[in-house]
Amino acid sequence: MERFGVPKNIVGFVLPTGYSFNLDGSDALSVAGERVRRAIAGVEMTFGQQIIMMLTLIADQQRRGGVPRAALVVLTGHAGPVHLPLEGAAILLGIDQVMDMGRNRRHVMGNCISTAVVARWEGVFDDEKMKAFVAGNQRAA
């Protein structure tokens, strides 16, 4: 991020904060849980129940931290209240490693974008470094 044009002090504050609090990739697990519950159990949830499940999983993202595949453990813990059959969690277990890679990519991208946004907001983002970074990556590709 420093090579991209974000000052070191902002990178040093925003990235660690983001890895503690901005785990937006794990929120996609609530969608996976909803799909499995519908497909396997045939249980429909009201809009209010879906919102409660989403908010609960978002609140629980703080417990997951940077632990690989911990989102599936949290979803399994919520299986009873949201009527997710444990067989559905077992099906997710088979593909969770691939899903976890996608969630981690989303975490990294979200935190990098947040860092650039904060630098721009503070008026310290270096546009020339960003242009040089982008041009160097385009030549490498």
Side-chain angles (χ1 to χ4, degrees):
M1 290 308 299
E2 291 175 44
R3 288 188 2 229
F4 189 71
V6 179
K8 186 176 185 170
N9 62 335
I10 291 184
V11 172
F13 178 74
V14 175
L15 277 182
T17 304
Y19 282 116
S20 297
F21 298 106
N22 184 26
L23 301 174
D24 51 356
S26 297
D27 301 337
L29 192 64
S30 63
V31 175
E34 170 67 15
R35 299 290 180 245
V36 166
R37 192 183 31 62
R38 275 187 181 176
I40 292 179
V43 176
E44 294 291 327
M45 288 178 79
T46 66
F47 181 72
Q49 288 172 320
Q50 291 176 22
I51 294 296
I52 289 171
M53 180 178 74
M54 180 188 70
L55 292 175
T56 304
L57 288 171
I58 288 172
D60 276 350
Q61 77 180 355
Q62 302 310 315
R63 296 189 313 182
R64 293 180 225 161
V67 179
R69 301 178 70 174
L72 184 65
V73 174
V74 171
L75 181 66
T76 304
H78 289 279
V82 298
H83 308 292
L84 174 69
L86 288 178
E87 297 85 7
I91 288 173
L92 286 177
L93 180 63
I95 60 168
D96 189 57
Q97 186 167 358
V98 175
M99 290 174 53
D100 194 48
M101 288 185 257
R103 287 191 300 265
N104 287 333
R105 183 178 60 226
R106 187 170 169 187
H107 295 320
V108 170
M109 288 303 300
N111 291 330
C112 289
I113 290 169
S114 298
T115 303
V117 166
V118 169
R120 174 73 70 193
W121 187 8
E122 292 294 318
V124 294
F125 187 79
D126 189 340
D127 288 317
E128 295 305 316
K129 276 187 174 181
M130 185 260 311
K131 289 176 186 175
F133 181 84
V134 171
N137 283 336
Q138 286 176 345
R139 281 192 297 264

